[in-house]
Amino acid sequence: MELWFTEKQTPELGITCKVKDVLHTEKSQYQQIAVLDTYQFGRLLALDGIIQTTICDEFVYHEMIAHVPLFTHPNPKRVLVIGGGDGGAIREVLKHKSVEAAYLAEIDGRVVEVSKQYLPEISCALDDPRCHVEIGDGIKFVQEHKGEFDVIIVDSTDPIGPAVGLFHQEFYRSLYDALSDNGLFVAQTESPFYNAGLISDIYRSISEVFPITRLYLAHVPTYPGGMWSFTIGSKSYDPIDVRIDVKGMDMCYYTPELHKAAFVLPEFVKNIIKGGL
Amino acid sequence: MELWFTEKQTPELGITCKVKDVLHTEKSQYQQIAVLDTYQFGRLLALDGIIQTTICDEFVYHEMIAHVPLFTHPNPKRVLVIGGGDGGAIREVLKHKSVEAAYLAEIDGRVVEVSKQYLPEISCALDDPRCHVEIGDGIKFVQEHKGEFDVIIVDSTDPIGPAVGLFHQEFYRSLYDALSDNGLFVAQTESPFYNAGLISDIYRSISEVFPITRLYLAHVPTYPGGMWSFTIGSKSYDPIDVRIDVKGMDMCYYTPELHKAAFVLPEFVKNIIKGGL
Amino acid sequence: MELWFTEKQTPELGITCKVKDVLHTEKSQYQQIAVLDTYQFGRLLALDGIIQTTICDEFVYHEMIAHVPLFTHPNPKRVLVIGGGDGGAIREVLKHKSVEAAYLAEIDGRVVEVSKQYLPEISCALDDPRCHVEIGDGIKFVQEHKGEFDVIIVDSTDPIGPAVGLFHQEFYRSLYDALSDNGLFVAQTESPFYNAGLISDIYRSISEVFPITRLYLAHVPTYPGGMWSFTIGSKSYDPIDVRIDVKGMDMCYYTPELHKAAFVLPEFVKNIIKGGL
Amino acid sequence: MELWFTEKQTPELGITCKVKDVLHTEKSQYQQIAVLDTYQFGRLLALDGIIQTTICDEFVYHEMIAHVPLFTHPNPKRVLVIGGGDGGAIREVLKHKSVEAAYLAEIDGRVVEVSKQYLPEISCALDDPRCHVEIGDGIKFVQEHKGEFDVIIVDSTDPIGPAVGLFHQEFYRSLYDALSDNGLFVAQTESPFYNAGLISDIYRSISEVFPITRLYLAHVPTYPGGMWSFTIGSKSYDPIDVRIDVKGMDMCYYTPELHKAAFVLPEFVKNIIKGGL
């Protein structure tokens, strides 16, 4: 049976995958939430029709958004994830033994509930005693916590709809204030192929707030172009100058060598960054 | 008008892009050749319905398939490209001043003609006096030339149809014989996400023939998963231990640092390689 | 969310409709059975990816396959439906008060069960005391009953897979034998636009067995081309020479006048029939 | 190569057909004009992405929009076609020997030119000496001609964009005035399955202006649902009470018997009409 889900990654480009079953759909207060079972990627979570994560390739995004900043900080104890209601980032964060408390500030409680029900492999750590789930506005949560977090991970949806405020400089200033003295944050910052202007703006905005700004890349096959960027703003630790010990941690994408290689950018990506400075 | 071209990258996954115009279609002796003008990628060349190259992202593939092996060899004079009838690899090869002669062995002369007509930005160097276009079977061409080439680039289509013989160990042995004493070759070797078994087999096959085997990656948004692999078989020079001078060469993706970073593999790709050994 | 079901009506033509939910999918002994909830047509039943019936337009097909033959016979008492596991034809048959017994010979018991669960508006009459559901091979069922039915309705899938035997002359001979002295049968006989050769063959086959053969048309929007044909083989009653009283019967498509108008064929359809004679 | 054209017939329903070639696209002053060569239907003309006519099925629409009104009038001498820039209606009109002059009032001259170039089978009669092509606003053309035409054919696009004024009662009054004493007009009036409300409104509007209003149907596989409606407003001749002689005229769909059968409506279409009265 020809049943296909298509995500328009741009108005003129789509990814389309064959669907085995629709496990769940609902319209929450914030967005349409869907869990589809696909032949290629297994179960996938889509918000407003945009693929957020899939059973098959989630390891790339979640390992890279979590371990790069957490290994940059020599002793991360308190970590905040904004967005990330599927729990994948939290799962990776809690692989770090130094972490004493991991907060999840997700605006849409239904994403958390649906992920717990349909994506247990991803959401499993949300019930860990070190994890504290706060359903509410991440921007407000950040404003109400000063100097508290060693690492903040902004695991947001695209800069449309509920996530739009997470891409403004004002928000990066709040992150600065919410971080501890030597803290750092990372945000997912879209595709260099299709969102060059946005990346350029974000990089400049962050570098006006933080002394150290770094962009790195990973291969996420279900995201537009398959090349995804993450940007770090850091108060003192430089992510490309770190010592990493992954002993006892089980990973499928991240390695200490890849941590560094991910910051080596193609010429055109370097130019995107320069374009904003 | 909703006119879309869809490439089924796997039976259950597709990339779909909006088409402005069909510039050319024909059934050659070997395959269906099409040039479409798309909104997202500009003109694209498809062979048997599979995207080979597009105006917008061709720089990634062509720079990475050419400069990594050519900078690995300290003084490449004679270079052979097998396949690659669009001329993009040749264009990058000829950016190297040391190169005295670049041969293109393409089985389908119509691909060359169509590329010259519709993709001049890519095919431009095919008329360079250092370039020699040989229309014919690449396997036979290799067998008839012994010890002649410093670098061979296997820029083939997928391992179905006319290109299937280019993925066999017997062919790698022919490449060994066709290379000069310290020569090396590179082949495009598909997607780690979707062709793990194939990559595993190729890596083992090559490593049984060549003393040095190395796999590297690049981000090609129009190829399945956006992550593409290339594998090098080398008689003596190791591609990760090179000195590179790109002075005066104009590139959009390749940099000397990226040359090395491209060989730093995600854990799951390392495991694909190990799986074959 | 862009989730679309596409039926390839021919290798080069499709109908595609947006899906709200997948209510059921299974692989039965005979075929893939799916019930989808669509925005345009409501719930629809697809067998091996081919739309069989939808909540929104089922009235056309079921009224036209049942009432035309039943009003042609002046006093139909025993009726057989072959195929038609969704129950729609039976529902219409049982609107005729003269009918004492309606048999359903459906090869795939799962179609009946799934229709009862998900399409109650269509399958409702399967539990009527006058209805007898026989799960099994319709061809064999017909062979085992001689002279028993006043009207037989062949409500089959397309002539591929399990239904292929229902389009052979041998089967039409069995139908002749299974009919009572003045009995008649009707079969759904595909699209004049896309299956001209098949219609031509069927018409000739039937006319070699039955003294009266007649083809009529109806508008079914979810079937290829929207124009659907039905062919009657009759021992003595001519469907275009009937008196019809629909008093007390509730219908949305069929009317006594339309009964006759449905036999008035476009010139090209007349030529399809002539082509086979 | 998977190159498909999809027309969204409604926001939740599409027809999709495989494309061999794009013969022409342009943005005229009024609309996007495209001629595609498709595997299923041969060449097709699409305006703003909506299929207007195809080589394979155009005979249905053009015969039915022309011959029903022209055979209703006992002696049509002067005929006006509004829209219909492809020339198909004119071609059928000129099959009537009584016709002395056929005017085409098409707002978009590019449709006429493109049809002449790419659809000669359809546009062939536009060069007939009895045919007069007037490029301009049909509404204005009608207002400027009083009592002149025996038959007017409104062969418009859908009631969006340039054609919207052709579906208003004010326009029907202008048609009344432009017709000769016993004249009549016909308009294509969309799909009973998908545009019930519109048909209902049109029927009432016309019946408030003309003493005789009649709706008839035809099977057009490339139009939504495959069932298409036409509505006639007539000053004195009733289209269901006519004598027809098609001697010497070559037709593929229309027959004198079908002329009458086309006015026999399914129950739900009768209810659509009643709903507006």
Side-chain angles (χ1 to χ4, degrees):
Chain A
M1 183 176 54
E2 296 297 317
L3 181 64
W4 291 74
F5 166 70
T6 303
E7 179 192 323
K8 290 271 181 72
Q9 298 183 328
T10 77
E12 289 141 357
L13 176 68
I15 184 175
T16 184
C17 55
K18 197 168 179 181
V19 170
K20 199 183 291 187
D21 205 358
V22 175
L23 299 176
H24 183 78
T25 59
E26 70 172 89
K27 190 96 189 58
S28 78
Q29 188 185 345
Y30 296 99
Q31 53 207 338
Q32 190 203 33
I33 302 172
V35 182
L36 308 179
D37 193 6
T38 69
Y39 287 92
Q40 188 68 55
F41 300 117
R43 279 159 285 133
L44 70 75
L45 173 70
L47 299 180
D48 283 340
I50 309 291
I51 299 174
Q52 301 301 311
T53 198
T54 85
I55 289 299
C56 276
D57 77 341
E58 57 94 7
F59 66 99
V60 180
Y61 178 85
H62 291 134
E63 290 184 12
M64 290 301 280
I65 203 168
H67 298 308
V68 174
L70 268 84
F71 277 118
T72 296
H73 195 289
N75 188 29
K77 290 185 177 165
R78 294 174 60 82
V79 176
L80 167 63
V81 175
I82 296 170
D86 54 55
I90 286 286
R91 184 195 60 198
E92 296 303 313
V93 165
L94 292 179
K95 285 183 180 171
H96 290 255
K97 299 223 173 95
S98 67
V99 174
E100 294 167 359
Y103 289 82
L104 181 79
E106 163 65 56
I107 202 166
D108 191 345
R110 289 301 303 151
V111 173
V112 173
E113 293 312 311
V114 167
S115 299
K116 280 186 176 177
Q117 185 170 359
Y118 293 104
L119 306 167
E121 304 90 329
I122 299 175
S123 60
C124 49
L126 293 174
D127 293 327
D128 186 292
R130 288 181 293 163
C131 175
H132 308 275
V133 177
E134 307 276 340
I135 302 305
D137 181 3
I139 295 174
K140 209 168 143 228
F141 187 88
V142 165
Q143 288 165 345
E144 292 167 357
H145 294 75
K146 303 289 185 194
E148 285 192 26
F149 302 105
D150 301 315
V151 174
I152 298 176
I153 294 172
V154 185
D155 179 7
S156 73
T157 52
D158 296 332
I160 41 169
V164 76
L166 305 180
F167 290 79
H168 288 166
Q169 195 179 53
E170 192 179 356
F171 177 61
Y172 302 137
R173 293 193 194 281
S174 302
L175 291 179
Y176 189 97
D177 296 338
L179 286 167
S180 58
D181 281 356
N182 297 307
L184 70 151
F185 88 95
V186 66
Q188 75 80 2
T189 49
E190 307 284 311
S191 160
F193 284 113
Y194 305 125
N195 310 96
L198 178 73
I199 289 174
S200 188
D201 290 348
I202 291 170
Y203 196 93
R204 187 190 57 246
S205 293
I206 295 176
S207 64
E208 287 169 2
V209 178
F210 285 83
I212 296 168
T213 306
R214 299 278 183 202
L215 183 145
Y216 63 99
L217 300 172
H219 294 91
V220 184
T222 53
Y223 285 1
M227 176 200 250
W228 213 244
S229 77
F230 302 86
T231 309
I232 281 178
S234 178
K235 289 185 174 180
S236 62
Y237 300 115
D238 189 336
I240 64 175
D241 183 23
V242 293
R243 280 190 304 174
I244 300 165
D245 179 4
V246 295
K247 205 161 38 196
M249 295 172 78
D250 190 28
M251 289 149 184
C252 291
Y253 191 86
Y254 183 89
T255 72
E257 297 74 27
L258 195 71
H259 176 118
K260 290 177 186 177
F263 288 93
V264 179
L265 304 179
E267 188 66 15
F268 84 100
V269 181
K270 289 164 68 179
N271 288 333
I272 289 171
I273 291 173
K274 274 185 215 149
L277 299 181
Chain B
M1 185 176 53
E2 295 297 317
L3 180 64
W4 290 74
F5 166 70
T6 303
E7 177 192 324
K8 290 269 180 76
Q9 299 184 326
T10 77
E12 289 141 357
L13 176 67
I15 184 174
T16 185
C17 56
K18 197 169 178 179
V19 170
K20 198 184 290 186
D21 206 356
V22 176
L23 299 175
H24 182 79
T25 58
E26 71 173 89
K27 190 94 191 59
S28 78
Q29 187 184 344
Y30 296 99
Q31 53 206 338
Q32 191 203 31
I33 302 172
V35 182
L36 308 179
D37 192 6
T38 68
Y39 289 91
Q40 188 68 53
F41 301 117
R43 279 159 286 133
L44 70 75
L45 172 70
L47 299 180
D48 284 339
I50 308 292
I51 299 174
Q52 301 300 311
T53 197
T54 84
I55 290 298
C56 276
D57 76 341
E58 57 94 7
F59 66 98
V60 180
Y61 178 84
H62 290 134
E63 291 184 11
M64 289 302 278
I65 202 169
H67 298 311
V68 174
L70 268 86
F71 278 118
T72 296
H73 195 287
N75 188 29
K77 290 185 177 166
R78 294 175 59 81
V79 176
L80 168 62
V81 175
I82 297 170
D86 54 57
I90 286 286
R91 185 194 61 199
E92 296 304 312
V93 164
L94 291 178
K95 285 182 181 170
H96 290 255
K97 299 221 174 96
S98 66
V99 173
E100 295 167 359
Y103 289 82
L104 182 80
E106 163 65 56
I107 202 167
D108 191 345
R110 292 300 304 149
V111 172
V112 174
E113 293 311 311
V114 167
S115 299
K116 279 185 176 178
Q117 186 169 358
Y118 294 103
L119 306 168
E121 304 90 330
I122 299 175
S123 59
C124 48
L126 292 175
D127 293 326
D128 187 291
R130 289 181 292 162
C131 175
H132 308 275
V133 176
E134 308 277 341
I135 302 305
D137 181 2
I139 294 174
K140 212 171 141 223
F141 187 89
V142 165
Q143 287 164 346
E144 291 167 359
H145 293 76
K146 303 289 184 194
E148 285 192 26
F149 302 105
D150 301 316
V151 173
I152 299 176
I153 294 172
V154 186
D155 179 7
S156 72
T157 52
D158 295 332
I160 41 169
V164 76
L166 305 179
F167 291 80
H168 288 167
Q169 196 180 50
E170 194 179 354
F171 178 62
Y172 302 137
R173 293 192 194 282
S174 302
L175 291 179
Y176 188 97
D177 295 339
L179 286 168
S180 58
D181 282 355
N182 297 307
L184 69 151
F185 89 96
V186 68
Q188 75 82 1
T189 48
E190 307 283 310
S191 159
F193 284 114
Y194 304 126
N195 311 96
L198 177 73
I199 289 174
S200 187
D201 289 348
I202 291 170
Y203 197 92
R204 188 191 55 245
S205 293
I206 295 176
S207 63
E208 287 169 2
V209 177
F210 285 84
I212 296 167
T213 307
R214 299 277 183 203
L215 184 144
Y216 63 98
L217 300 172
H219 294 89
V220 184
T222 54
Y223 285 2
M227 175 201 251
W228 212 246
S229 77
F230 303 86
T231 309
I232 281 178
S234 178
K235 289 185 175 180
S236 62
Y237 300 116
D238 189 336
I240 63 175
D241 182 23
V242 293
R243 278 188 307 173
I244 301 165
D245 179 3
V246 295
K247 203 162 39 194
M249 296 172 75
D250 191 29
M251 290 148 184
C252 291
Y253 192 86
Y254 182 90
T255 72
E257 298 74 28
L258 195 71
H259 177 118
K260 291 178 187 177
F263 289 93
V264 179
L265 305 178
E267 187 67 15
F268 84 101
V269 182
K270 290 163 69 177
N271 288 333
I272 289 172
I273 291 174
K274 274 185 216 152
L277 299 180
Chain C
M1 184 175 54
E2 295 296 318
L3 180 66
W4 290 74
F5 166 70
T6 303
E7 178 192 324
K8 290 271 180 73
Q9 297 183 329
T10 77
E12 290 141 357
L13 176 67
I15 184 175
T16 184
C17 56
K18 196 169 180 180
V19 170
K20 199 183 291 185
D21 205 357
V22 175
L23 299 176
H24 182 79
T25 59
E26 71 172 270
K27 190 96 189 59
S28 78
Q29 188 184 345
Y30 297 99
Q31 54 206 337
Q32 191 203 32
I33 303 172
V35 182
L36 308 179
D37 192 5
T38 69
Y39 288 92
Q40 188 68 54
F41 300 117
R43 279 159 284 134
L44 71 75
L45 172 70
L47 298 180
D48 283 340
I50 308 293
I51 300 174
Q52 301 301 311
T53 197
T54 84
I55 289 298
C56 275
D57 76 341
E58 57 93 7
F59 67 97
V60 180
Y61 178 85
H62 290 134
E63 291 183 11
M64 290 301 278
I65 203 168
H67 299 309
V68 174
L70 267 84
F71 278 118
T72 297
H73 195 289
N75 189 27
K77 290 185 177 166
R78 294 173 61 81
V79 177
L80 168 62
V81 175
I82 297 170
D86 54 55
I90 287 286
R91 183 195 62 199
E92 296 303 312
V93 165
L94 292 179
K95 286 183 180 170
H96 291 256
K97 299 221 173 94
S98 67
V99 174
E100 294 167 0
Y103 289 82
L104 181 80
E106 163 65 56
I107 201 167
D108 191 345
R110 291 301 304 151
V111 172
V112 174
E113 293 311 311
V114 167
S115 299
K116 281 186 175 177
Q117 186 169 0
Y118 294 103
L119 306 167
E121 304 90 330
I122 299 175
S123 60
C124 49
L126 292 174
D127 293 326
D128 187 291
R130 289 181 291 163
C131 175
H132 308 275
V133 177
E134 308 277 339
I135 302 305
D137 181 2
I139 294 174
K140 210 169 143 226
F141 187 89
V142 166
Q143 287 165 346
E144 292 167 357
H145 293 75
K146 303 289 185 193
E148 285 192 26
F149 302 105
D150 302 314
V151 174
I152 299 177
I153 294 172
V154 186
D155 178 8
S156 73
T157 51
D158 295 333
I160 41 169
V164 76
L166 305 180
F167 290 80
H168 289 166
Q169 195 180 53
E170 193 179 354
F171 177 62
Y172 302 138
R173 292 193 195 280
S174 303
L175 291 178
Y176 189 96
D177 295 339
L179 287 167
S180 58
D181 282 355
N182 297 308
L184 70 152
F185 89 96
V186 67
Q188 75 81 2
T189 50
E190 307 284 310
S191 159
F193 284 114
Y194 305 125
N195 311 96
L198 177 74
I199 289 173
S200 187
D201 290 348
I202 291 170
Y203 197 93
R204 188 192 54 246
S205 293
I206 295 175
S207 64
E208 287 169 3
V209 177
F210 285 83
I212 296 167
T213 307
R214 298 277 182 202
L215 183 144
Y216 63 98
L217 299 172
H219 294 90
V220 183
T222 53
Y223 285 1
M227 176 200 251
W228 212 245
S229 78
F230 303 85
T231 309
I232 282 178
S234 177
K235 289 186 174 179
S236 61
Y237 300 115
D238 190 337
I240 64 175
D241 183 24
V242 292
R243 280 189 303 174
I244 299 165
D245 180 3
V246 296
K247 204 161 39 194
M249 295 171 77
D250 190 28
M251 290 147 184
C252 290
Y253 192 86
Y254 182 90
T255 73
E257 298 74 28
L258 195 72
H259 176 119
K260 290 177 186 178
F263 289 93
V264 180
L265 304 178
E267 188 67 15
F268 84 100
V269 181
K270 289 163 69 178
N271 289 333
I272 289 172
I273 291 173
K274 274 184 215 151
L277 298 181
Chain D
M1 185 175 54
E2 296 296 317
L3 180 64
W4 291 75
F5 166 70
T6 303
E7 178 191 325
K8 291 269 181 74
Q9 298 184 327
T10 76
E12 289 141 358
L13 176 68
I15 184 175
T16 184
C17 55
K18 196 169 178 180
V19 170
K20 197 183 292 185
D21 206 357
V22 175
L23 299 176
H24 182 80
T25 58
E26 71 173 90
K27 189 97 191 59
S28 78
Q29 187 184 345
Y30 297 99
Q31 54 207 336
Q32 191 203 32
I33 302 173
V35 182
L36 308 179
D37 192 5
T38 68
Y39 288 91
Q40 187 69 54
F41 300 117
R43 279 158 286 134
L44 70 75
L45 173 70
L47 299 180
D48 284 339
I50 308 291
I51 299 174
Q52 301 300 311
T53 197
T54 84
I55 290 299
C56 276
D57 77 340
E58 58 94 5
F59 66 98
V60 180
Y61 178 85
H62 291 133
E63 291 185 12
M64 290 302 279
I65 203 169
H67 299 309
V68 174
L70 267 85
F71 277 119
T72 296
H73 195 288
N75 189 28
K77 290 183 176 167
R78 295 175 58 82
V79 177
L80 167 62
V81 176
I82 296 169
D86 54 56
I90 286 286
R91 184 194 61 198
E92 296 303 313
V93 164
L94 292 178
K95 286 183 180 169
H96 291 254
K97 299 219 174 97
S98 67
V99 173
E100 296 168 359
Y103 289 82
L104 182 80
E106 163 64 57
I107 202 166
D108 191 345
R110 292 299 304 149
V111 172
V112 174
E113 294 311 312
V114 167
S115 299
K116 280 186 175 178
Q117 185 170 357
Y118 293 103
L119 306 168
E121 305 90 329
I122 299 175
S123 60
C124 49
L126 292 174
D127 293 325
D128 187 290
R130 290 180 291 163
C131 175
H132 308 275
V133 177
E134 308 277 341
I135 303 304
D137 181 2
I139 294 174
K140 211 169 142 226
F141 187 89
V142 165
Q143 287 165 346
E144 291 167 358
H145 292 77
K146 303 290 187 194
E148 284 192 27
F149 302 106
D150 301 316
V151 173
I152 299 176
I153 294 171
V154 186
D155 179 7
S156 72
T157 52
D158 296 332
I160 41 168
V164 75
L166 305 180
F167 290 81
H168 289 166
Q169 196 180 52
E170 194 179 353
F171 177 62
Y172 302 137
R173 293 193 193 282
S174 301
L175 291 178
Y176 189 98
D177 295 340
L179 286 167
S180 58
D181 281 357
N182 298 307
L184 70 152
F185 89 96
V186 68
Q188 74 81 1
T189 48
E190 307 284 310
S191 159
F193 284 113
Y194 306 125
N195 311 96
L198 177 73
I199 289 174
S200 186
D201 289 348
I202 291 170
Y203 197 93
R204 187 191 55 246
S205 292
I206 296 176
S207 63
E208 287 169 2
V209 178
F210 285 84
I212 296 167
T213 306
R214 297 280 182 202
L215 183 144
Y216 63 99
L217 298 172
H219 294 90
V220 184
T222 53
Y223 285 1
M227 176 200 251
W228 213 245
S229 77
F230 302 86
T231 308
I232 282 178
S234 178
K235 289 185 175 180
S236 62
Y237 300 116
D238 189 336
I240 63 175
D241 182 23
V242 292
R243 280 189 304 173
I244 301 165
D245 179 2
V246 294
K247 204 162 37 194
M249 295 173 76
D250 191 29
M251 290 146 181
C252 290
Y253 192 86
Y254 182 89
T255 72
E257 298 74 26
L258 195 71
H259 176 119
K260 291 178 186 175
F263 289 94
V264 180
L265 304 178
E267 188 66 15
F268 84 100
V269 182
K270 289 163 69 177
N271 288 333
I272 289 172
I273 291 173
K274 274 185 215 150
L277 299 180

